[in-house]
Amino acid sequence: MQKTSYEDFKYSMQDVGRVYVGSKYTFEELLDEEDLLFKFRLIVERYILPEADPGDTLESHLYYLAPDSFAVKLYRRLKARVKVSVIEEKKSLFGKVKKQYVNKQITIDELTGIPAQEKERMGMVIQELSVSKLALSAV
């Protein structure tokens, strides 16, 4: 029997201004990821792991993040944005209503402003976290 693993949303990329991290990484895997910037791994190790479990995924950490936690202040300072998918109803030309997933980029304050029950009702799926490289170098 062959074991398959879910590797979608387990990636790290960067461009000139931002670092993008897929949400299915656990914090333990993030620390072992060689392609990820050292400064980001250091921030995860020093500031985020004391509040979180190493086995938690980035997705579950962001999903249940309390608005008054230190991690929110840190993400705010890093100018973090979160890419999410939510279910929205769209009307067709003939008035037929259809539900479909829509991707959105939201700030960490917008994410933590939505209660967990509302996120479940919206069908929210967190896909990635992106942080500013300039803000990352300043922390």
Side-chain angles (χ1 to χ4, degrees), residues 23-53:
S23 66
K24 294 298 182 184
Y25 274 118
T26 63
F27 288 116
E28 196 171 27
E29 291 171 337
L30 276 177
L31 295 177
D32 294 336
E33 183 65 34
E34 292 294 322
D35 294 335
L36 197 55
L37 286 177
F38 174 75
K39 183 78 174 193
F40 184 79
R41 290 184 294 169
L42 186 66
I43 288 173
V44 167
E45 181 181 1
R46 295 241 172 103
Y47 300 114
I48 296 175
L49 269 182
E51 290 185 8
D53 185 68

Side-chain angles (χ1 to χ4, degrees), residues 15-26:
D15 61 13
V16 175
R18 298 192 75 80
V19 175
Y20 305 92
V21 180
S23 66
K24 294 298 182 184
Y25 274 118
T26 63

Side-chain angles (χ1 to χ4, degrees), residues 80-82 105-112:
R81 291 189 301 214
V82 181
Q105 286 266 349
I106 60 175
T107 64
I108 202 72
D109 292 322
E110 292 171 338
L111 180 69
T112 56

Side-chain angles (χ1 to χ4, degrees), residues 51 60-76 108-109 111-116 119:
E51 290 185 8
S60 64
H61 170 71
L62 292 171
Y63 199 87
Y64 296 107
L65 200 56
D68 57 344
S69 69
F70 177 74
V72 170
K73 293 176 187 172
L74 178 68
Y75 289 131
R76 200 178 295 136
I108 202 72
D109 292 322
L111 180 69
T112 56
I114 303 170
K119 291 176 190 169

Side-chain angles (χ1 to χ4, degrees), residues 29 32 34 63 79 85 92-93 99 109 119 127 137:
E29 291 171 337
D32 294 336
E34 292 294 322
Y63 199 87
K79 297 182 181 11
S85 291
S92 69
L93 187 59
K99 290 184 179 183
D109 292 322
K119 291 176 190 169
Q127 294 180 346
S137 66

